[in-house]
PDB file of all heavy atoms in Angstrom:
ATOM      1  N   GLY Z1569     217.682 174.187  65.971  1.00  0.00           N
ATOM      2  CA  GLY Z1569     218.362 174.522  67.235  1.00  0.00           C
ATOM      3  C   GLY Z1569     218.680 173.338  68.129  1.00  0.00           C
ATOM      4  O   GLY Z1569     219.317 173.510  69.170  1.00  0.00           O
ATOM      5  N   HIS Z1571     220.276 169.458  67.814  1.00  0.00           N
ATOM      6  CA  HIS Z1571     220.816 168.389  66.980  1.00  0.00           C
ATOM      7  C   HIS Z1571     220.042 167.099  67.251  1.00  0.00           C
ATOM      8  O   HIS Z1571     219.616 166.839  68.374  1.00  0.00           O
ATOM      9  CB  HIS Z1571     222.296 168.197  67.291  1.00  0.00           C
ATOM     10  CG  HIS Z1571     222.999 167.333  66.284  1.00  0.00           C
ATOM     11  ND1 HIS Z1571     222.979 165.969  66.369  1.00  0.00           N
ATOM     12  CD2 HIS Z1571     223.705 167.646  65.174  1.00  0.00           C
ATOM     13  CE1 HIS Z1571     223.661 165.475  65.358  1.00  0.00           C
ATOM     14  NE2 HIS Z1571     224.115 166.466  64.608  1.00  0.00           N
ATOM     15  N   HIS Z1573     220.863 164.088  67.690  1.00  0.00           N
ATOM     16  CA  HIS Z1573     221.351 163.220  68.768  1.00  0.00           C
ATOM     17  C   HIS Z1573     220.904 163.715  70.133  1.00  0.00           C
ATOM     18  O   HIS Z1573     220.601 162.933  71.028  1.00  0.00           O
ATOM     19  CB  HIS Z1573     222.870 163.151  68.765  1.00  0.00           C
ATOM     20  CG  HIS Z1573     223.402 162.433  67.577  1.00  0.00           C
ATOM     21  ND1 HIS Z1573     222.839 161.278  67.120  1.00  0.00           N
ATOM     22  CD2 HIS Z1573     224.434 162.706  66.756  1.00  0.00           C
ATOM     23  CE1 HIS Z1573     223.499 160.886  66.057  1.00  0.00           C
ATOM     24  NE2 HIS Z1573     224.461 161.737  65.809  1.00  0.00           N
ATOM     25  N   ASP Z1574     220.920 165.018  70.283  1.00  0.00           N
ATOM     26  CA  ASP Z1574     220.493 165.592  71.569  1.00  0.00           C
ATOM     27  C   ASP Z1574     219.004 165.360  71.766  1.00  0.00           C
ATOM     28  O   ASP Z1574     218.550 165.053  72.878  1.00  0.00           O
ATOM     29  CB  ASP Z1574     220.826 167.088  71.605  1.00  0.00           C
ATOM     30  CG  ASP Z1574     222.333 167.330  71.536  1.00  0.00           C
ATOM     31  OD1 ASP Z1574     223.068 166.618  72.228  1.00  0.00           O
ATOM     32  OD2 ASP Z1574     222.749 168.213  70.781  1.00  0.00           O
ATOM     33  N   LEU Z1575     218.250 165.489  70.695  1.00  0.00           N
ATOM     34  CA  LEU Z1575     216.811 165.247  70.763  1.00  0.00           C
ATOM     35  C   LEU Z1575     216.547 163.779  71.142  1.00  0.00           C
ATOM     36  O   LEU Z1575     215.733 163.479  72.024  1.00  0.00           O
ATOM     37  CB  LEU Z1575     216.179 165.572  69.400  1.00  0.00           C
ATOM     38  CG  LEU Z1575     214.655 165.548  69.321  1.00  0.00           C
ATOM     39  CD1 LEU Z1575     214.061 166.567  70.285  1.00  0.00           C
ATOM     40  CD2 LEU Z1575     214.191 165.836  67.903  1.00  0.00           C
ATOM     41  N   GLU Z1577     218.511 161.780  72.724  1.00  0.00           N
ATOM     42  CA  GLU Z1577     218.954 161.533  74.106  1.00  0.00           C
ATOM     43  C   GLU Z1577     217.857 161.940  75.095  1.00  0.00           C
ATOM     44  O   GLU Z1577     217.499 161.192  76.004  1.00  0.00           O
ATOM     45  CB  GLU Z1577     220.246 162.335  74.373  1.00  0.00           C
ATOM     46  CG  GLU Z1577     220.656 162.383  75.823  1.00  0.00           C
ATOM     47  CD  GLU Z1577     221.793 161.435  76.145  1.00  0.00           C
ATOM     48  OE1 GLU Z1577     222.598 161.152  75.254  1.00  0.00           O
ATOM     49  OE2 GLU Z1577     221.857 160.967  77.303  1.00  0.00           O
ATOM     50  N   ILE Z1578     217.313 163.119  74.884  1.00  0.00           N
ATOM     51  CA  ILE Z1578     216.281 163.612  75.809  1.00  0.00           C
ATOM     52  C   ILE Z1578     215.013 162.772  75.684  1.00  0.00           C
ATOM     53  O   ILE Z1578     214.413 162.372  76.680  1.00  0.00           O
ATOM     54  CB  ILE Z1578     216.018 165.118  75.564  1.00  0.00           C
ATOM     55  CG1 ILE Z1578     217.249 165.910  76.024  1.00  0.00           C
ATOM     56  CG2 ILE Z1578     214.761 165.584  76.292  1.00  0.00           C
ATOM     57  CD1 ILE Z1578     217.218 167.374  75.716  1.00  0.00           C
ATOM     58  N   ARG Z1581     215.320 159.430  77.479  1.00  0.00           N
ATOM     59  CA  ARG Z1581     215.128 159.483  78.935  1.00  0.00           C
ATOM     60  C   ARG Z1581     213.663 159.647  79.306  1.00  0.00           C
ATOM     61  O   ARG Z1581     213.268 159.402  80.439  1.00  0.00           O
ATOM     62  CB  ARG Z1581     215.940 160.632  79.511  1.00  0.00           C
ATOM     63  CG  ARG Z1581     217.422 160.301  79.473  1.00  0.00           C
ATOM     64  CD  ARG Z1581     218.148 161.282  80.297  1.00  0.00           C
ATOM     65  NE  ARG Z1581     219.105 162.001  79.491  1.00  0.00           N
ATOM     66  CZ  ARG Z1581     219.703 163.093  79.893  1.00  0.00           C
ATOM     67  NH1 ARG Z1581     219.408 163.613  81.053  1.00  0.00           N
ATOM     68  NH2 ARG Z1581     220.595 163.671  79.131  1.00  0.00           N
ATOM     69  N   GLU Z1582     212.856 160.092  78.332  1.00  0.00           N
ATOM     70  CA  GLU Z1582     211.410 160.199  78.562  1.00  0.00           C
ATOM     71  C   GLU Z1582     210.707 158.907  78.142  1.00  0.00           C
ATOM     72  O   GLU Z1582     209.478 158.866  78.091  1.00  0.00           O
ATOM     73  CB  GLU Z1582     210.848 161.383  77.765  1.00  0.00           C
ATOM     74  CG  GLU Z1582     211.408 162.745  78.164  1.00  0.00           C
ATOM     75  CD  GLU Z1582     210.994 163.131  79.579  1.00  0.00           C
ATOM     76  OE1 GLU Z1582     209.810 163.029  79.904  1.00  0.00           O
ATOM     77  OE2 GLU Z1582     211.888 163.512  80.377  1.00  0.00           O
ATOM     78  N   ARG Z1587     215.355 157.135  66.373  1.00  0.00           N
ATOM     79  CA  ARG Z1587     216.709 156.988  65.879  1.00  0.00           C
ATOM     80  C   ARG Z1587     217.192 158.337  65.384  1.00  0.00           C
ATOM     81  O   ARG Z1587     216.411 159.171  64.935  1.00  0.00           O
ATOM     82  CB  ARG Z1587     216.770 155.959  64.751  1.00  0.00           C
ATOM     83  CG  ARG Z1587     218.026 155.105  64.867  1.00  0.00           C
ATOM     84  CD  ARG Z1587     218.279 154.281  63.639  1.00  0.00           C
ATOM     85  NE  ARG Z1587     219.710 154.379  63.345  1.00  0.00           N
ATOM     86  CZ  ARG Z1587     220.273 153.929  62.242  1.00  0.00           C
ATOM     87  NH1 ARG Z1587     219.531 153.375  61.313  1.00  0.00           N
ATOM     88  NH2 ARG Z1587     221.554 154.055  62.045  1.00  0.00           N
ATOM     89  N   SER Z1588     218.502 158.551  65.472  1.00  0.00           N
ATOM     90  CA  SER Z1588     219.047 159.828  65.021  1.00  0.00           C
ATOM     91  C   SER Z1588     220.353 159.588  64.284  1.00  0.00           C
ATOM     92  O   SER Z1588     221.016 158.589  64.509  1.00  0.00           O
ATOM     93  CB  SER Z1588     219.304 160.733  66.223  1.00  0.00           C
ATOM     94  OG  SER Z1588     220.208 160.114  67.116  1.00  0.00           O
ATOM     95  N   GLY Z1589     220.676 160.497  63.389  1.00  0.00           N
ATOM     96  CA  GLY Z1589     221.954 160.405  62.687  1.00  0.00           C
ATOM     97  C   GLY Z1589     221.793 160.276  61.188  1.00  0.00           C
ATOM     98  O   GLY Z1589     220.928 160.923  60.593  1.00  0.00           O
ATOM     99  N   HIS Z1590     222.646 159.443  60.599  1.00  0.00           N
ATOM    100  CA  HIS Z1590     222.679 159.294  59.141  1.00  0.00           C
ATOM    101  C   HIS Z1590     221.796 158.151  58.638  1.00  0.00           C
ATOM    102  O   HIS Z1590     221.569 158.033  57.443  1.00  0.00           O
ATOM    103  CB  HIS Z1590     224.109 158.981  58.685  1.00  0.00           C
ATOM    104  CG  HIS Z1590     225.009 160.165  58.703  1.00  0.00           C
ATOM    105  ND1 HIS Z1590     226.347 160.076  58.949  1.00  0.00           N
ATOM    106  CD2 HIS Z1590     224.743 161.476  58.517  1.00  0.00           C
ATOM    107  CE1 HIS Z1590     226.883 161.277  58.882  1.00  0.00           C
ATOM    108  NE2 HIS Z1590     225.931 162.148  58.640  1.00  0.00           N
ATOM    109  N   HIS Z1591     221.388 157.265  59.549  1.00  0.00           N
ATOM    110  CA  HIS Z1591     220.544 156.121  59.199  1.00  0.00           C
ATOM    111  C   HIS Z1591     221.164 155.271  58.087  1.00  0.00           C
ATOM    112  O   HIS Z1591     220.469 154.799  57.174  1.00  0.00           O
ATOM    113  CB  HIS Z1591     219.136 156.582  58.795  1.00  0.00           C
ATOM    114  CG  HIS Z1591     218.594 157.627  59.719  1.00  0.00           C
ATOM    115  ND1 HIS Z1591     218.186 157.347  61.002  1.00  0.00           N
ATOM    116  CD2 HIS Z1591     218.462 158.958  59.579  1.00  0.00           C
ATOM    117  CE1 HIS Z1591     217.805 158.464  61.591  1.00  0.00           C
ATOM    118  NE2 HIS Z1591     217.967 159.456  60.753  1.00  0.00           N
ATOM    119  N   GLU Z1594     224.518 158.185  54.600  1.00  0.00           N
ATOM    120  CA  GLU Z1594     225.177 159.488  54.730  1.00  0.00           C
ATOM    121  C   GLU Z1594     225.077 160.346  53.471  1.00  0.00           C
ATOM    122  O   GLU Z1594     224.761 161.543  53.575  1.00  0.00           O
ATOM    123  CB  GLU Z1594     226.643 159.287  55.150  1.00  0.00           C
ATOM    124  CG  GLU Z1594     227.358 160.606  55.383  1.00  0.00           C
ATOM    125  CD  GLU Z1594     228.763 160.444  55.971  1.00  0.00           C
ATOM    126  OE1 GLU Z1594     229.114 159.318  56.369  1.00  0.00           O
ATOM    127  OE2 GLU Z1594     229.475 161.449  56.019  1.00  0.00           O
ATOM    128  N   SER Z1603     222.865 167.841  58.842  1.00  0.00           N
ATOM    129  CA  SER Z1603     223.975 167.021  59.329  1.00  0.00           C
ATOM    130  C   SER Z1603     223.478 165.706  59.920  1.00  0.00           C
ATOM    131  O   SER Z1603     224.221 164.744  60.016  1.00  0.00           O
ATOM    132  CB  SER Z1603     224.796 167.792  60.360  1.00  0.00           C
ATOM    133  OG  SER Z1603     224.024 168.079  61.494  1.00  0.00           O
ATOM    134  N   ALA Z1604     222.227 165.658  60.306  1.00  0.00           N
ATOM    135  CA  ALA Z1604     221.639 164.434  60.856  1.00  0.00           C
ATOM    136  C   ALA Z1604     220.128 164.641  60.925  1.00  0.00           C
ATOM    137  O   ALA Z1604     219.661 165.781  60.939  1.00  0.00           O
ATOM    138  CB  ALA Z1604     222.173 164.145  62.249  1.00  0.00           C
ATOM    139  N   LYS Z1628     209.803 169.113  75.744  1.00  0.00           N
ATOM    140  CA  LYS Z1628     210.757 169.129  76.862  1.00  0.00           C
ATOM    141  C   LYS Z1628     212.155 169.473  76.348  1.00  0.00           C
ATOM    142  O   LYS Z1628     212.880 170.270  76.946  1.00  0.00           O
ATOM    143  CB  LYS Z1628     210.758 167.760  77.546  1.00  0.00           C
ATOM    144  CG  LYS Z1628     211.607 167.694  78.773  1.00  0.00           C
ATOM    145  CD  LYS Z1628     211.054 166.727  79.790  1.00  0.00           C
ATOM    146  CE  LYS Z1628     210.235 167.418  80.836  1.00  0.00           C
ATOM    147  NZ  LYS Z1628     209.603 166.529  81.775  1.00  0.00           N
ATOM    148  N   VAL Z1632     214.735 172.504  77.442  1.00  0.00           N
ATOM    149  CA  VAL Z1632     216.129 172.329  77.870  1.00  0.00           C
ATOM    150  C   VAL Z1632     217.062 173.185  77.010  1.00  0.00           C
ATOM    151  O   VAL Z1632     217.957 173.852  77.511  1.00  0.00           O
ATOM    152  CB  VAL Z1632     216.542 170.841  77.791  1.00  0.00           C
ATOM    153  CG1 VAL Z1632     218.038 170.683  78.042  1.00  0.00           C
ATOM    154  CG2 VAL Z1632     215.760 170.008  78.794  1.00  0.00           C
ATOM    155  N   PHE Z1633     216.814 173.177  75.705  1.00  0.00           N
ATOM    156  CA  PHE Z1633     217.684 173.899  74.784  1.00  0.00           C
ATOM    157  C   PHE Z1633     217.253 175.351  74.571  1.00  0.00           C
ATOM    158  O   PHE Z1633     217.872 176.084  73.807  1.00  0.00           O
ATOM    159  CB  PHE Z1633     217.773 173.165  73.442  1.00  0.00           C
ATOM    160  CG  PHE Z1633     218.816 172.085  73.447  1.00  0.00           C
ATOM    161  CD1 PHE Z1633     218.575 170.870  74.069  1.00  0.00           C
ATOM    162  CD2 PHE Z1633     220.050 172.288  72.869  1.00  0.00           C
ATOM    163  CE1 PHE Z1633     219.533 169.878  74.096  1.00  0.00           C
ATOM    164  CE2 PHE Z1633     221.026 171.299  72.897  1.00  0.00           C
ATOM    165  CZ  PHE Z1633     220.769 170.098  73.509  1.00  0.00           C
ATOM    166  N   LYS Z1634     216.170 175.724  75.212  1.00  0.00           N
ATOM    167  CA  LYS Z1634     215.656 177.104  75.122  1.00  0.00           C
ATOM    168  C   LYS Z1634     215.491 177.557  73.669  1.00  0.00           C
ATOM    169  O   LYS Z1634     215.986 178.602  73.259  1.00  0.00           O
ATOM    170  CB  LYS Z1634     216.579 178.068  75.883  1.00  0.00           C
ATOM    171  CG  LYS Z1634     216.711 177.733  77.367  1.00  0.00           C
ATOM    172  CD  LYS Z1634     217.439 178.859  78.103  1.00  0.00           C
ATOM    173  CE  LYS Z1634     217.495 178.627  79.592  1.00  0.00           C
ATOM    174  NZ  LYS Z1634     218.380 177.517  79.982  1.00  0.00           N
TER     175      LYS Z1634
ATOM    176  N   MET X 141     212.652 166.982  84.658  1.00  0.00           N
ATOM    177  CA  MET X 141     213.711 166.013  84.348  1.00  0.00           C
ATOM    178  C   MET X 141     214.987 166.403  85.104  1.00  0.00           C
ATOM    179  O   MET X 141     215.399 167.559  85.120  1.00  0.00           O
ATOM    180  CB  MET X 141     213.965 166.016  82.834  1.00  0.00           C
ATOM    181  CG  MET X 141     215.119 165.127  82.423  1.00  0.00           C
ATOM    182  SD  MET X 141     215.162 164.852  80.632  1.00  0.00           S
ATOM    183  CE  MET X 141     215.099 166.523  80.002  1.00  0.00           C
ATOM    184  N   ASP X 142     215.600 165.408  85.730  1.00  0.00           N
ATOM    185  CA  ASP X 142     216.869 165.624  86.405  1.00  0.00           C
ATOM    186  C   ASP X 142     217.926 165.789  85.321  1.00  0.00           C
ATOM    187  O   ASP X 142     218.338 164.828  84.689  1.00  0.00           O
ATOM    188  CB  ASP X 142     217.159 164.412  87.302  1.00  0.00           C
ATOM    189  CG  ASP X 142     218.528 164.533  87.962  1.00  0.00           C
ATOM    190  OD1 ASP X 142     219.004 165.669  88.086  1.00  0.00           O
ATOM    191  OD2 ASP X 142     219.098 163.499  88.332  1.00  0.00           O
ATOM    192  N   GLU X 143     218.347 167.022  85.105  1.00  0.00           N
ATOM    193  CA  GLU X 143     219.194 167.269  83.947  1.00  0.00           C
ATOM    194  C   GLU X 143     220.671 167.136  84.296  1.00  0.00           C
ATOM    195  O   GLU X 143     221.283 168.057  84.797  1.00  0.00           O
ATOM    196  CB  GLU X 143     218.867 168.647  83.363  1.00  0.00           C
ATOM    197  CG  GLU X 143     219.301 168.809  81.934  1.00  0.00           C
ATOM    198  CD  GLU X 143     219.154 167.543  81.111  1.00  0.00           C
ATOM    199  OE1 GLU X 143     218.054 167.274  80.634  1.00  0.00           O
ATOM    200  OE2 GLU X 143     220.144 166.789  80.941  1.00  0.00           O
ATOM    201  N   LEU X 145     223.012 165.859  81.991  1.00  0.00           N
ATOM    202  CA  LEU X 145     223.876 166.016  80.812  1.00  0.00           C
ATOM    203  C   LEU X 145     223.860 167.445  80.273  1.00  0.00           C
ATOM    204  O   LEU X 145     224.898 168.052  80.077  1.00  0.00           O
ATOM    205  CB  LEU X 145     223.439 165.029  79.717  1.00  0.00           C
ATOM    206  CG  LEU X 145     224.244 165.090  78.415  1.00  0.00           C
ATOM    207  CD1 LEU X 145     225.733 164.837  78.666  1.00  0.00           C
ATOM    208  CD2 LEU X 145     223.726 164.065  77.421  1.00  0.00           C
ATOM    209  N   TYR X 146     222.654 167.958  80.068  1.00  0.00           N
ATOM    210  CA  TYR X 146     222.562 169.266  79.414  1.00  0.00           C
ATOM    211  C   TYR X 146     222.572 170.386  80.445  1.00  0.00           C
ATOM    212  O   TYR X 146     221.601 171.105  80.611  1.00  0.00           O
ATOM    213  CB  TYR X 146     221.333 169.311  78.516  1.00  0.00           C
ATOM    214  CG  TYR X 146     221.427 168.303  77.403  1.00  0.00           C
ATOM    215  CD1 TYR X 146     220.649 167.165  77.393  1.00  0.00           C
ATOM    216  CD2 TYR X 146     222.354 168.478  76.375  1.00  0.00           C
ATOM    217  CE1 TYR X 146     220.763 166.230  76.380  1.00  0.00           C
ATOM    218  CE2 TYR X 146     222.479 167.548  75.362  1.00  0.00           C
ATOM    219  CZ  TYR X 146     221.674 166.422  75.364  1.00  0.00           C
ATOM    220  OH  TYR X 146     221.797 165.496  74.367  1.00  0.00           O
ATOM    221  N   GLU X 148     223.801 173.985  82.113  1.00  0.00           N
ATOM    222  CA  GLU X 148     223.823 175.310  81.501  1.00  0.00           C
ATOM    223  C   GLU X 148     225.169 175.622  80.824  1.00  0.00           C
ATOM    224  O   GLU X 148     225.208 176.166  79.732  1.00  0.00           O
ATOM    225  CB  GLU X 148     223.488 176.367  82.557  1.00  0.00           C
ATOM    226  CG  GLU X 148     223.074 177.703  81.990  1.00  0.00           C
ATOM    227  CD  GLU X 148     222.029 177.604  80.863  1.00  0.00           C
ATOM    228  OE1 GLU X 148     221.024 176.902  81.060  1.00  0.00           O
ATOM    229  OE2 GLU X 148     222.235 178.211  79.800  1.00  0.00           O
ATOM    230  N   LEU X 151     225.374 173.821  77.528  1.00  0.00           N
ATOM    231  CA  LEU X 151     224.449 174.406  76.552  1.00  0.00           C
ATOM    232  C   LEU X 151     224.948 175.766  76.078  1.00  0.00           C
ATOM    233  O   LEU X 151     224.788 176.129  74.915  1.00  0.00           O
ATOM    234  CB  LEU X 151     223.049 174.536  77.168  1.00  0.00           C
ATOM    235  CG  LEU X 151     222.314 173.213  77.385  1.00  0.00           C
ATOM    236  CD1 LEU X 151     221.033 173.447  78.167  1.00  0.00           C
ATOM    237  CD2 LEU X 151     222.006 172.543  76.059  1.00  0.00           C
ATOM    238  N   ASN X 154     227.540 175.307  73.563  1.00  0.00           N
ATOM    239  CA  ASN X 154     226.924 174.843  72.320  1.00  0.00           C
ATOM    240  C   ASN X 154     226.307 176.010  71.555  1.00  0.00           C
ATOM    241  O   ASN X 154     226.454 176.129  70.343  1.00  0.00           O
ATOM    242  CB  ASN X 154     225.859 173.789  72.645  1.00  0.00           C
ATOM    243  CG  ASN X 154     225.204 173.241  71.388  1.00  0.00           C
ATOM    244  OD1 ASN X 154     225.877 172.853  70.444  1.00  0.00           O
ATOM    245  ND2 ASN X 154     223.884 173.227  71.383  1.00  0.00           N
ATOM    246  N   ARG X 155     225.635 176.886  72.308  1.00  0.00           N
ATOM    247  CA  ARG X 155     224.969 178.036  71.655  1.00  0.00           C
ATOM    248  C   ARG X 155     225.968 179.083  71.200  1.00  0.00           C
ATOM    249  O   ARG X 155     225.848 179.652  70.129  1.00  0.00           O
ATOM    250  CB  ARG X 155     223.966 178.662  72.627  1.00  0.00           C
ATOM    251  CG  ARG X 155     222.565 178.149  72.490  1.00  0.00           C
ATOM    252  CD  ARG X 155     221.580 179.061  73.211  1.00  0.00           C
ATOM    253  NE  ARG X 155     221.870 179.168  74.636  1.00  0.00           N
ATOM    254  CZ  ARG X 155     221.366 178.337  75.568  1.00  0.00           C
ATOM    255  NH1 ARG X 155     220.554 177.368  75.202  1.00  0.00           N
ATOM    256  NH2 ARG X 155     221.673 178.486  76.827  1.00  0.00           N
ATOM    257  N   ARG X 173     235.809 162.253  63.237  1.00  0.00           N
ATOM    258  CA  ARG X 173     234.405 162.031  62.858  1.00  0.00           C
ATOM    259  C   ARG X 173     233.833 160.865  63.629  1.00  0.00           C
ATOM    260  O   ARG X 173     234.545 159.918  63.931  1.00  0.00           O
ATOM    261  CB  ARG X 173     234.309 161.654  61.369  1.00  0.00           C
ATOM    262  CG  ARG X 173     234.417 162.795  60.407  1.00  0.00           C
ATOM    263  CD  ARG X 173     234.545 162.242  58.983  1.00  0.00           C
ATOM    264  NE  ARG X 173     234.623 163.321  58.022  1.00  0.00           N
ATOM    265  CZ  ARG X 173     233.555 163.842  57.415  1.00  0.00           C
ATOM    266  NH1 ARG X 173     232.364 163.353  57.657  1.00  0.00           N
ATOM    267  NH2 ARG X 173     233.681 164.833  56.567  1.00  0.00           N
ATOM    268  N   ALA X 175     231.465 158.312  62.520  1.00  0.00           N
ATOM    269  CA  ALA X 175     230.826 157.906  61.270  1.00  0.00           C
ATOM    270  C   ALA X 175     229.359 157.536  61.478  1.00  0.00           C
ATOM    271  O   ALA X 175     228.504 157.875  60.674  1.00  0.00           O
ATOM    272  CB  ALA X 175     231.576 156.735  60.659  1.00  0.00           C
ATOM    273  N   SER X 176     229.067 156.885  62.590  1.00  0.00           N
ATOM    274  CA  SER X 176     227.703 156.389  62.760  1.00  0.00           C
ATOM    275  C   SER X 176     226.711 157.512  63.031  1.00  0.00           C
ATOM    276  O   SER X 176     225.533 157.369  62.750  1.00  0.00           O
ATOM    277  CB  SER X 176     227.655 155.359  63.874  1.00  0.00           C
ATOM    278  OG  SER X 176     228.033 155.945  65.084  1.00  0.00           O
ATOM    279  N   CYS X 177     227.161 158.631  63.598  1.00  0.00           N
ATOM    280  CA  CYS X 177     226.178 159.670  63.905  1.00  0.00           C
ATOM    281  C   CYS X 177     226.383 160.960  63.132  1.00  0.00           C
ATOM    282  O   CYS X 177     225.495 161.795  63.099  1.00  0.00           O
ATOM    283  CB  CYS X 177     226.114 159.945  65.394  1.00  0.00           C
ATOM    284  SG  CYS X 177     227.644 160.236  66.205  1.00  0.00           S
ATOM    285  N   GLY X 178     227.539 161.123  62.491  1.00  0.00           N
ATOM    286  CA  GLY X 178     227.718 162.303  61.661  1.00  0.00           C
ATOM    287  C   GLY X 178     228.350 163.497  62.356  1.00  0.00           C
ATOM    288  O   GLY X 178     228.436 164.570  61.776  1.00  0.00           O
ATOM    289  N   ASP X 179     228.767 163.317  63.611  1.00  0.00           N
ATOM    290  CA  ASP X 179     229.480 164.411  64.284  1.00  0.00           C
ATOM    291  C   ASP X 179     230.841 164.589  63.620  1.00  0.00           C
ATOM    292  O   ASP X 179     231.491 163.621  63.248  1.00  0.00           O
ATOM    293  CB  ASP X 179     229.702 164.083  65.763  1.00  0.00           C
ATOM    294  CG  ASP X 179     228.409 164.080  66.546  1.00  0.00           C
ATOM    295  OD1 ASP X 179     227.411 164.613  66.025  1.00  0.00           O
ATOM    296  OD2 ASP X 179     228.409 163.567  67.664  1.00  0.00           O
ATOM    297  N   GLU X 201     230.402 170.328  63.111  1.00  0.00           N
ATOM    298  CA  GLU X 201     228.973 170.294  63.379  1.00  0.00           C
ATOM    299  C   GLU X 201     228.638 168.957  64.034  1.00  0.00           C
ATOM    300  O   GLU X 201     229.326 167.960  63.816  1.00  0.00           O
ATOM    301  CB  GLU X 201     228.139 170.503  62.118  1.00  0.00           C
ATOM    302  CG  GLU X 201     228.294 169.479  61.031  1.00  0.00           C
ATOM    303  CD  GLU X 201     229.132 169.987  59.860  1.00  0.00           C
ATOM    304  OE1 GLU X 201     229.523 171.170  59.887  1.00  0.00           O
ATOM    305  OE2 GLU X 201     229.428 169.209  58.965  1.00  0.00           O
ATOM    306  N   GLY X 202     227.603 168.992  64.833  1.00  0.00           N
ATOM    307  CA  GLY X 202     227.207 167.774  65.524  1.00  0.00           C
ATOM    308  C   GLY X 202     226.378 168.097  66.747  1.00  0.00           C
ATOM    309  O   GLY X 202     225.887 169.224  66.891  1.00  0.00           O
ATOM    310  N   CYS X 203     226.233 167.120  67.618  1.00  0.00           N
ATOM    311  CA  CYS X 203     225.387 167.286  68.796  1.00  0.00           C
ATOM    312  C   CYS X 203     226.021 168.255  69.780  1.00  0.00           C
ATOM    313  O   CYS X 203     227.192 168.624  69.673  1.00  0.00           O
ATOM    314  CB  CYS X 203     225.151 165.931  69.457  1.00  0.00           C
ATOM    315  SG  CYS X 203     226.646 165.227  70.173  1.00  0.00           S
ATOM    316  N   ALA X 204     225.242 168.666  70.765  1.00  0.00           N
ATOM    317  CA  ALA X 204     225.686 169.654  71.748  1.00  0.00           C
ATOM    318  C   ALA X 204     226.911 169.154  72.505  1.00  0.00           C
ATOM    319  O   ALA X 204     227.822 169.930  72.809  1.00  0.00           O
ATOM    320  CB  ALA X 204     224.548 169.968  72.714  1.00  0.00           C
ATOM    321  N   VAL X 205     226.946 167.856  72.810  1.00  0.00           N
ATOM    322  CA  VAL X 205     228.061 167.318  73.599  1.00  0.00           C
ATOM    323  C   VAL X 205     229.368 167.427  72.815  1.00  0.00           C
ATOM    324  O   VAL X 205     230.386 167.870  73.347  1.00  0.00           O
ATOM    325  CB  VAL X 205     227.789 165.847  73.989  1.00  0.00           C
ATOM    326  CG1 VAL X 205     228.964 165.269  74.751  1.00  0.00           C
ATOM    327  CG2 VAL X 205     226.522 165.744  74.823  1.00  0.00           C
ATOM    328  N   ARG X 245     227.482 158.038  74.694  1.00  0.00           N
ATOM    329  CA  ARG X 245     227.881 159.383  74.251  1.00  0.00           C
ATOM    330  C   ARG X 245     229.379 159.618  74.367  1.00  0.00           C
ATOM    331  O   ARG X 245     229.845 160.740  74.158  1.00  0.00           O
ATOM    332  CB  ARG X 245     227.124 160.457  75.048  1.00  0.00           C
ATOM    333  CG  ARG X 245     225.618 160.399  74.930  1.00  0.00           C
ATOM    334  CD  ARG X 245     225.111 160.492  73.498  1.00  0.00           C
ATOM    335  NE  ARG X 245     225.320 161.786  72.864  1.00  0.00           N
ATOM    336  CZ  ARG X 245     224.480 162.810  72.979  1.00  0.00           C
ATOM    337  NH1 ARG X 245     223.393 162.693  73.680  1.00  0.00           N
ATOM    338  NH2 ARG X 245     224.737 163.959  72.389  1.00  0.00           N
TER     339      ARG X 245
END
Side-chain angles (χ1 to χ4, degrees):
Chain Z
H1571 192 276
H1573 292 317
D1574 296 316
L1575 187 60
E1577 169 102 28
I1578 290 174
R1581 288 192 240 167
E1582 298 294 311
R1587 219 192 137 189
S1588 59
H1590 284 149
H1591 316 288
E1594 183 173 350
S1603 64
K1628 185 149 263 176
V1632 172
F1633 275 77
K1634 300 190 175 70
Chain X
M141 175 167 52
D142 176 23
E143 200 36 83
L145 179 58
Y146 297 108
E148 197 47 49
L151 289 172
N154 181 49
R155 266 195 300 271
R173 281 170 179 268
S176 62
C177 50
D179 291 344
E201 62 256 356
C203 67
V205 177
R245 300 303 292 274

